[in-house]
Amino acid sequence: MSRDRNSTAAKVVFLEIDCVLLTPIDWRAPGNLHACDVFDASGEESFGLARALRMVVLRHFRIRLLNELCSDTGAAVVLLSRWLPVVGSEVLSDLLTRNSVYDWYLHRDVACTVTDPESKRAAVEGWLSRHREVREWIVLDADAAELGFEDPVPVHPRLGFTITEQLDAVHRLRPRLPERYKSRHPDASAIVFLDIDGVLLPTACWSLKSAIDAWQRLRWCTDESERELIYTNDVQFSAVAIALMNQLCTRCRAQIVLVTSWRWHHSQEYIRRILSSHGVAEEHWHADYACVDTGGGKRADVDEWLSRHAEVTAWVVVDDQSGELGFADLGIDGEQGLTISSYRRACELLGAPVGADEHHAFLGFPR
């Protein structure tokens, strides 16, 4: 069912595509190699650039974040791209809608009049002068600060639009976060203590060709932003495990708390961004979503977290070494990660057992 574009929005997202929805790393993703060759050869000449943009595939998680931003705030998207004077608004609008940005989230007056990158601020002012109904607006552009926009949403040009920028944008366009960004159950009584390696990122995932290359790069990479890019774009987490984790939380009304050894080397925000980019639903995170590293190992870390949350009545540790650590053993094979059998066991421990013949429609599995 088609719907008309928005013409009455009181909130607007002025959107640059380059380095926001389409980063340099995205251009070189396997599905975009031909488009990248065309883009590099075009020198941003009109015909070549338009041809490349008609072939390029945007990262689905960025599109999901943009759609959610518009849905949760009632904002409409207006193009503020440096490519506008080269290819026009039709090519760029088509790029967005072809990659599943909902057409009704685009403003009817879909583009600012950009003559060159330096004119963006004047272009926004000109657009706003034609739309007095707009009360709140933000700019998503990696160069927004340099272009003179005050207090812009900071977008890293190599990372692009992530959950961090989305949350910041929601804060700015609405006085408070929408309910789905909050802990769904502030006093959640069911908790999933989550490991990553061997669970959502099983050993089998590292045998893929792209992952082998990513592993070599990770071994020598010390830049945190670059490592995050590699984990987000080049490392393939288990889609089945991610789907099962989301279903486990939904079925058992449980929330996620990190107990992964990644905590020892990375910030909890870094870990959450990576998992969110691979599909772990935002509404499943607990407000206090990471165990403190007590220095006594995972068992001590879980005990410390539970000591601060007396409301918890059921919990499970989803870890391929849970039995060895003294927790209930879910039978997770680190080679395969979270599977249906370990999912069933976790549901039992959280008080929501799965029937033997229950149809797992959420994964398309047979009875």
Side-chain angles (χ1 to χ4, degrees), residues 205-260:
C205 287
W206 289 109
S207 63
L208 300 172
K209 185 178 184 301
S210 60
I212 293 172
D213 176 63
W215 173 253
Q216 294 298 327
R217 290 157 58 201
L218 285 167
R219 287 181 63 193
W220 305 108
C221 181
T222 57
D223 181 82
E224 194 80 341
S225 297
E226 186 66 28
R227 290 180 66 86
E228 183 173 344
L229 275 173
I230 295 171
Y231 271 114
T232 298
N233 295 326
D234 301 324
V235 177
Q236 185 174 331
F237 284 60
S238 168
V240 170
I242 296 288
L244 286 169
M245 177 53 57
N246 284 330
Q247 179 65 10
L248 174 64
C249 293
T250 299
R251 180 185 181 86
C252 302
R253 294 178 62 82
Q255 294 192 298
I256 294 170
V257 175
L258 294 169
V259 74
T260 174

Side-chain angles (χ1 to χ4, degrees), residues 148-314:
F149 292 103
E150 294 182 7
D151 192 27
V153 175
V155 178
H156 193 292
R158 290 193 296 170
L159 293 177
F161 188 50
T162 69
I163 185 65
T164 302
E165 289 76 37
Q166 187 206 42
L167 289 172
D168 190 357
V170 171
H171 268 300
R172 293 165 188 252
L173 290 175
R174 179 173 290 187
R176 60 186 179 84
L177 288 174
E179 289 302 317
R180 66 185 197 81
Y181 285 103
K182 298 178 180 178
S183 173
R184 181 177 286 182
H185 315 295
D187 297 321
S189 60
I191 296 296
V192 174
F193 290 102
L194 179 63
D195 185 28
I196 297 175
D197 293 319
V199 178
L200 302 184
L201 186 57
T203 307
C205 287
W206 289 109
S207 63
L208 300 172
K209 185 178 184 301
S210 60
I212 293 172
D213 176 63
W215 173 253
Q216 294 298 327
R217 290 157 58 201
L218 285 167
R219 287 181 63 193
W220 305 108
C221 181
T222 57
D223 181 82
E224 194 80 341
S225 297
E226 186 66 28
R227 290 180 66 86
E228 183 173 344
L229 275 173
I230 295 171
Y231 271 114
T232 298
N233 295 326
D234 301 324
V235 177
Q236 185 174 331
F237 284 60
S238 168
V240 170
I242 296 288
L244 286 169
M245 177 53 57
N246 284 330
Q247 179 65 10
L248 174 64
C249 293
T250 299
R251 180 185 181 86
C252 302
R253 294 178 62 82
Q255 294 192 298
I256 294 170
V257 175
L258 294 169
V259 74
T260 174
S261 58
W262 286 31
R263 297 170 297 130
W264 305 337
H265 310 289
H266 307 290
S267 71
Q268 62 189 46
E269 294 83 3
Y270 169 96
I271 301 170
R272 178 170 172 169
R273 284 197 303 270
I274 291 174
L275 294 185
S276 294
S277 75
H278 285 281
V280 175
E282 280 299 311
E283 60 263 32
H284 296 325
W285 293 98
H286 193 279
D288 182 11
Y289 63 89
C291 291
V292 174
D293 179 13
T294 63
K298 290 183 179 180
R299 180 82 209 195
D301 295 350
V302 168
D303 289 343
E304 190 280 333
W305 192 95
L306 289 170
S307 72
R308 293 184 283 107
H309 295 277
E311 72 278 3
V312 175
T313 58

Side-chain angles (χ1 to χ4, degrees), residues 305-358:
W305 192 95
L306 289 170
S307 72
R308 293 184 283 107
H309 295 277
E311 72 278 3
V312 175
T313 58
W315 54 274
V316 65
V317 175
V318 181
D319 189 313
D320 60 319
Q321 298 179 322
S322 57
E324 300 170 28
L325 295 168
F327 302 112
D329 191 354
L330 302 185
I332 298 176
D333 180 351
E335 178 73 22
Q336 300 301 321
L338 183 63
T339 60
I340 284 288
S341 60
S342 45
Y343 160 81
R344 287 177 181 273
R345 176 64 176 142
C347 286
E348 290 175 9
L349 292 171
L350 291 176
V354 180
D357 61 346
E358 183 170 327

Side-chain angles (χ1 to χ4, degrees), residues 1-283:
M1 181 180 68
S2 63
R3 287 165 54 180
D4 291 336
R5 289 185 178 178
N6 198 324
S7 60
T8 60
K11 301 175 184 179
V12 165
V13 176
F14 291 104
L15 177 68
E16 169 63 87
I17 295 174
D18 188 32
C19 294
V20 178
L21 296 185
L22 188 58
T23 68
I25 296 294
D26 295 338
W27 273 111
R28 285 160 177 77
N32 286 334
L33 291 179
H34 183 49
C36 182
D37 290 341
V38 173
F39 177 75
D40 289 342
S42 73
E44 300 203 12
E45 169 270 328
S46 176
F47 176 77
L49 177 58
R51 183 165 170 247
L53 292 175
R54 287 191 176 101
M55 292 187 289
V56 81
V57 177
L58 302 178
R59 295 280 293 179
H60 69 88
F61 79 89
R62 301 194 206 282
I63 300 301
R64 174 171 56 83
L65 291 174
L66 181 62
N67 282 333
E68 289 175 354
L69 170 61
C70 294
S71 173
D72 290 332
T73 63
V77 172
V78 175
L79 293 168
L80 185 66
S81 175
R82 67 187 185 89
W83 292 327
L84 278 168
V86 183
V87 298
S89 62
E90 184 176 345
V91 170
L92 297 179
S93 298
D94 176 70
L95 170 65
L96 296 182
T97 55
R98 179 170 51 81
N99 282 277
S100 299
V101 173
Y102 298 132
D103 197 55
W104 53 88
Y105 290 151
L106 300 182
H107 198 282
R108 186 180 295 276
D109 185 3
V110 73
C112 295
T113 306
V114 177
T115 55
D116 61 74
E118 301 302 319
S119 71
K120 285 184 177 180
R121 184 172 176 180
V124 167
E125 292 171 353
W127 191 95
L128 289 171
S129 70
R130 302 194 304 271
H131 296 277
R132 300 296 185 184
E133 73 279 4
V134 175
R135 296 289 180 266
E136 298 174 80
W137 55 275
I138 60 168
V139 174
L140 291 180
D141 189 321
D143 296 323
E146 289 77 4
L147 293 170
F149 292 103
E150 294 182 7
D151 192 27
V153 175
V155 178
H156 193 292
R158 290 193 296 170
L159 293 177
F161 188 50
T162 69
I163 185 65
T164 302
E165 289 76 37
Q166 187 206 42
L167 289 172
D168 190 357
V170 171
H171 268 300
R172 293 165 188 252
L173 290 175
R174 179 173 290 187
R176 60 186 179 84
L177 288 174
E179 289 302 317
R180 66 185 197 81
Y181 285 103
K182 298 178 180 178
S183 173
R184 181 177 286 182
H185 315 295
D187 297 321
S189 60
I191 296 296
V192 174
F193 290 102
L194 179 63
D195 185 28
I196 297 175
D197 293 319
V199 178
L200 302 184
L201 186 57
T203 307
C205 287
W206 289 109
S207 63
L208 300 172
K209 185 178 184 301
S210 60
I212 293 172
D213 176 63
W215 173 253
Q216 294 298 327
R217 290 157 58 201
L218 285 167
R219 287 181 63 193
W220 305 108
C221 181
T222 57
D223 181 82
E224 194 80 341
S225 297
E226 186 66 28
R227 290 180 66 86
E228 183 173 344
L229 275 173
I230 295 171
Y231 271 114
T232 298
N233 295 326
D234 301 324
V235 177
Q236 185 174 331
F237 284 60
S238 168
V240 170
I242 296 288
L244 286 169
M245 177 53 57
N246 284 330
Q247 179 65 10
L248 174 64
C249 293
T250 299
R251 180 185 181 86
C252 302
R253 294 178 62 82
Q255 294 192 298
I256 294 170
V257 175
L258 294 169
V259 74
T260 174
S261 58
W262 286 31
R263 297 170 297 130
W264 305 337
H265 310 289
H266 307 290
S267 71
Q268 62 189 46
E269 294 83 3
Y270 169 96
I271 301 170
R272 178 170 172 169
R273 284 197 303 270
I274 291 174
L275 294 185
S276 294
S277 75
H278 285 281
V280 175
E282 280 299 311
E283 60 263 32

